[in-house]
Structures are given as structure tokens and as C-alpha cells.
Amino acid sequence: MATRNAVPQNDMSTTSRTSVALIGSYVPRRCGIATFTHHLASAIAERIYDQPLDSTERVRIVAVNDQDDLYNYGPEVAFEIGQHRKYDYRNAADFLNDSKFDTISLQHEYGLFGGEAGVYLLELLERLKKPVVSTLHTVLAEPNDSQRDVLRRICDCSATLVVMAERARAILNDCYGIPKERIRLIHHGVPDVAFGSTETSKERFGLAGKPTILTFGLLSPNKGIEVMLDALAKIVPDHPEVVFTVLGATHPQVKRDSGESYRLSLESRALERGIQKNVIFHNRYVSEEDLCEYLAAADIYVTPYHNREQIVSGTLAYAVAAGTAVVSSPYWYAREMLADGRGRLVEFGDVDGFADALRDLLENAGKRERMQVAAYEFGRAMIWPRVAEQYHETMAEAYAEAAKEIKARARDEKLEFRMRLSLPEVRLSTLFAMTDNVGMLQHCVYATPDRRHGYSTDDNARAVIVAAMAWSHFQDERVLEPLQTYLAFLNHARPAGGGRFRNLMGYDRCWLETDWSDDCQGRVQWALGYLINHAPNKSMRLLAEDLFRLSLGNFEHIASPRAVAFAIVGLYYYLREVPDDRAARATLKTLAKRLETAFQEYETVDWPWCEDVVTYDNAHVPQALILAGLVLDEESLTQKGLRVLTWLLDIQTAEAGHLSVIGTDGWLRRGGGRARYDQQPLEAAALIEACKAAHRATGDKKWLIEMRRCFAWYMGQNDAGISLIEFKSHGCHDGLMRDGVNENFGAESCLSWLLSLLTMHEMQPGEAPDRSWEAAVADGELGPQLRVQEELYAQSTPAKSKSRSKA
């Protein structure tokens, strides 16, 4: 019988020890990587520094939160990142660059970080000036384009990559082109437990004398527990005392998406098979101490998982290292861990195969014990003290190599310091205050909602976009209920018999007009298209798709350039989600042609516009041309949109360089002067959205700079030098007038501000440009018509990050 071997004492000198900050989810958050991060940090602290984790400053955690301020972390957590807050990642990079930590240990899993495929993580990694050792908990052989790009960039930012299986090393080399010498295999860490009889532990759980089978981990459909239940039903007639324990809470994401439906289906299955007395479900998260006791009580451990490409399993690692006989489906990690007699593999979903393997081990104690001994001896190399030593050795090597590079760079280059640009935090309190159970109210008296003016479909369409964008960026569940309300308003605005959307509704819920504006139809189409592309759940997407398709016919005779432009933007987002919809693509082509025709009728050399007057929400017209050109692959449309946008920026640039939008008191007419007031927030919002489209089409950073100039208009870089944002209430004033700001808040203004702020958070890289705008103009790189002062780049209100530093 194998016994536990003592781990040799650490003999490292103090000077050879490398301090480390670990990035990952962290306890008390309930997920596998949080537990892994905690155990690795604790093992490094204890094995390398001979101190408990909470007593050493040399090992600290940068914790990634999936919720806001809900985790009561220990003192070892030095910094927190909100998963869906892009700026937190940039602030974390600043914190780590300024800290005394020698190296960074990243725990990577796609779903842990914000953005598509966890792309927000790159906001941190690509700003770090310290060596990173990245542990890859998932390595996909067939990633989508986003996953492949993100992982490659993570690899580019990492000094060394750590994987937990040889197959992962091969995939990184073959599929991602990563040299094998940059990849190190370090097994998943496990607790150091003694190997002995199961009976003592069985007594604790009331299972004395009973054959026991165990599986544990967060429960989800890919665990294949139904296969095990069907196999158990075939075993019970010969082994009526056998007990199968399913240990673990339902996975939080599964619970959010489908409640306890999977667990309930398993319970029903057990009842149908007549094995309810042989199955124990424990719907709870267990401590490591209890988990080790359950493993000690188990005769056999099972992982009948469905995912062939699973490259690591902490639960399987624990079971093997505890010396438990294992029967598993042949996913990649299991193939390696259970080789050489350490377990039994059965094909995916093979109920008879699982039943035969389990019956064989239950009836053959000698075979079972040989498997247990082989597993336990293999697992000795996986205990946390040994794993900590390997990680520390890897990080020390990365630090030594990085130190050489830094010295060489300091010799050859002059260090360059980049100014950081800030953005205000996104706060939705005014949005929530102006929303009731009908929709978003149109106006406020100062900052108090004014019920006398009721609601508009225009504003509720805008609110759909803002709420969907807030969900997309931050996964803030507080927006889901109001988003549902705004969508319900749009659904109600469409008459039961079909046709155009109604716009104005009184506070008494009665519709007020019968002549419904073209712009309203366009804004609804824009909102529905955006929601389809960013829907938080299936039901919202399906309703949005129904309304979108039913209302496309509304544009058959609409000629208003803005209404057409709004609809094109909506079609752009819709086709990103449903690219094969030929009817929608044909409609987009028709509407783009309609815009072109409007320009042909009105534009001249000195008047490149589609009407005789430039009025409101103007920049959505060039935005639509740019996006239509991208979808239809018509470069002429995109270039026309870029020229028109450049003209709009030119005519709305003051001599001092700041944005000065066209006023509502007279607009700008062909051959006439430009009205200076009243200036409306929706104009700045439209310009920011159009510049976003221009950057998407060209990749030219000048459009990011123009976005910041337009955004600065809200913050006081305008004709009056007054901020339109009231930061105590987080609302936006209704406009800039000759004698100051309009003191009232309105839905249009507040939604324009939030749309602008959310777009800036999405697009802005956070660093000041390499050179001033004027220098680029002087060198002929940019048109002289675009003038911006350098100081605008630094004068946004500083961000109030959700991150917190304890160091």
C-alpha cells in the first residue's frame, strides 16, 4: 500500500525568490479557476516564502469580478477588475507596472474576461512592462476567429505559457504556431492527501459497507451524468447496495440560463430507472476538506463528460492524486491522466461500456487496488508544493530574461512616457429615474421626470440601444428589466394590424397622433437591428427579429435621408447577426441607393450635402454611407461617407479647435450663415457614432482623436466653456444656449450622453496620440480643415474606477 512521502524542505535563498502577482478569479467566488488561483498563491507563499499567504507581501492577487463589490476578499487581494469594465484592465496594468512585483502569473479562461472571447484582457497585457507567465486552462483545437486572435495575442504578451497536458502543448504548436520551447507542462495542482482504506470516510457519510461511486464539480449538461445514471440502472440488479453520489452545485451560468432544469431532469431520470435509492444529489458547493473526505470514501470516480476537446479537469486531477479508481470518457485530458493503468476509458455516451467497466471494478478488488496505487503514485508529482516550485522556477527564469531585455533597451532607447486619457464612469441612474413600467418619459423639470409630456417611441428606441450597449459592455443585470420595458413599448407602438410605428403617447397610455414620422420608423429599425446583434437572451432577440422583419416594408416609400440612414444602421447590425438574409441585404442596397440619389440631387462642389439645409442628427447620414459600403463591399459608398463626415466636422469646428455644433435656431442653409445656438447633445452623439464607423472602415487613428474632440464638447470644450453633464445626478442638460445650459434634462439628451460615453468606453485606447493634430496637419498627413488643440486630449473628467488597490 502506498503512503504519503514527505516533501523536501525549501532551500532557496531569499535573493533567488521572485515576487508575483496572480491575475484570475478568486475565492470566495465559486468557480474552478478561483479555487486554482487561491491554491497556487497559497502554495507559492508557503513553499517559497515559508509564510501564510495573508502574511507575505511577495504574493498578491488581482481578482477578476463577475459582479460588482459582492466578494469579501482576504487581504491578499491587492486590486480588483470588473470583468466587463474595460477601463479596469488599463488601471490594473498601471497598478502592476508601478508595483514591486517581479512577475505576473495569468490564469486564462476565455469566459473569465470581458469582451468577445475575453478580448478586454489585452487592454491589460499589452500595457504591461513586466514578464507574464500565462497558464492556459483552455486550449481549443478549432477556435473561432476571435478566440484564435485573442489567444495568439496573449501568447505574444507572455514570456512563457503553462499548460497542463501534452496535448495542449501540441495544439499550441500546431494550430497557433507557438514554439515548443516557450511552452511548459506543469500539472494541475492537487492537495496532499494520505492513501488508505475508504471505510473510515464512508462511516462519516453513512455509507459504511456500501460500494461507492462519486462525481463532483459544478453541474452542467456537458458533464454527462445522464449516461452514468443509465449505466447505474444496469448495475443495481447485481449490486443493490451501490451508491452513486453527485456532488456539487449547479454551474452559475447554467442556473442563470435554465435554472435547475438539468438537475431536475437527472432526478426524474433516476426515478424513471428505479434507482432513486442508489443516487444522492448534493446541490451545494463543498469545501476542499469535505471534498477530500468524499474522495477518500469513494471506491470509483467517474467523469462521463461529453466534450472530447476538454484539455484539463481539476476534478479528475484531484481524483487521480487521491488514489481513486477512475472510469471516464476519453476526452483529451483523461487520455493522458488515465494512461498506463491509472484508469479505464469508455467511449462517449456508451452506457453499456460504462456499466461493464464499473461492474468489473466493483467485482474485482485486486484490479481496483492496482489502479488506485498507480494513480496515487502518479499524483505525487502534482501536489501543490511541487507545483509551486515549478511555477516559481518558471517565473524566475522569465524575470531573469526580462531583466536582460530591459537593460538592453535602456542602453539603446530613450524611455518614452505616454499620458493616460480618462473617461467618466458609466452611471445609469438618470436612465432608471426616467423609466417607469410603461417606458422612458420624454422630459424632466430640471432633473425630475415630467409626466405631463408622456412618452415617445423615438426615445424608447434610443433607450433600447443604450440599455443593450450597457449590457453588451458590462453585463449589468440591472439594465435587463428596463430593456424589456423599452422593447415592450416598441412592440406596443406597432399597430396590431401592422404598418408604421406610432410615436407619441400620453401619460394616460393613449396614443396622441395619427401622422407618424419617418424618423421614428428609422430609429426603431436602428434599435431593433442593434438589439438583435447584442441581445442578452433568446426571447428578446426573437421578438426584435419579428418586429424588424415585419417593419422593413415601412421603408418602401420613405425618402427622408435621416430616416433612411437610421434604417441602414439598423440593417448593418442586423446583417452582422444574420448575414445570409438576402431580403435584408437587398433592402440595404435599395436604401443606400436612395441616399446616393439624394446627394446627386442637392450636392455641389461647395455644398456636399443631401438637402438644402443641414439640420439635426446629421452625422448619421455619413455613418450610414460608410456602413453600407462595408456591408455591400462598395468602396465608393464608404469614401463618400468619409468625405461627408470630414465636411461636417470641418463646418462644426470653431477657430479655437473645439466642436461647435450647428444650432437649432436657423440651422445651416445653403449660401447662408450657421446658427450658433441652441446646440443639442444628439449632434455630438451622432458625430461620435459616425467617427466610430469611419475608424472601423479605415483603421485610421485620426477618427479616434476626432471622437475624443466631439466627446469633449459635453465636458466643457464648447463655445460656452460649460459642461453639459451634471455629475451629481449623472444627467445631461438639454442643450447649450446663448446664456448657458438648459437646466432641464430630457430623454434625448441623457440618452445621447450615455450613447456617447458607452461608445467612448468601447473604442478609446486610453493613451494620448503620438503627436499633436496640428503637427500632423503641418506635415500634410491630415487635411487642414480638421483643427484640434492638443490640450483637449487630457481634459476629460478622470474616471472613478470600480477597481480598488490595497497595496
Side-chain angles (χ1 to χ4, degrees), residues 457-467 523 527 617 682 748 751:
T457 300
D458 275 333
D459 289 334
N460 279 273
R462 293 185 181 102
V464 164
I465 297 169
V466 167
R523 286 197 180 93
D617 238 357
L682 87 165
E748 178 186 284
L751 289 167

Side-chain angles (χ1 to χ4, degrees), residues 288-307:
E288 180 163 298
E289 181 181 357
D290 284 344
L291 175 56
C292 290
E293 284 286 339
Y294 274 103
L295 281 168
D299 296 302
I300 303 172
Y301 184 77
V302 293
T303 59
Y305 300 167
H306 291 312
N307 181 12

Side-chain angles (χ1 to χ4, degrees), residues 5-8 47 380-391:
N5 298 318
V7 179
R47 182 64 180 156
R380 301 310 297 155
M382 300 166 59
I383 60 175
W384 279 115
R386 298 188 189 280
V387 167
E389 290 177 354
Q390 294 177 70
Y391 268 96

Side-chain angles (χ1 to χ4, degrees), residues 250-258:
T250 301
H251 194 289
Q253 187 61 52
V254 173
K255 198 168 184 176
R256 280 194 292 269
D257 292 343
S258 55

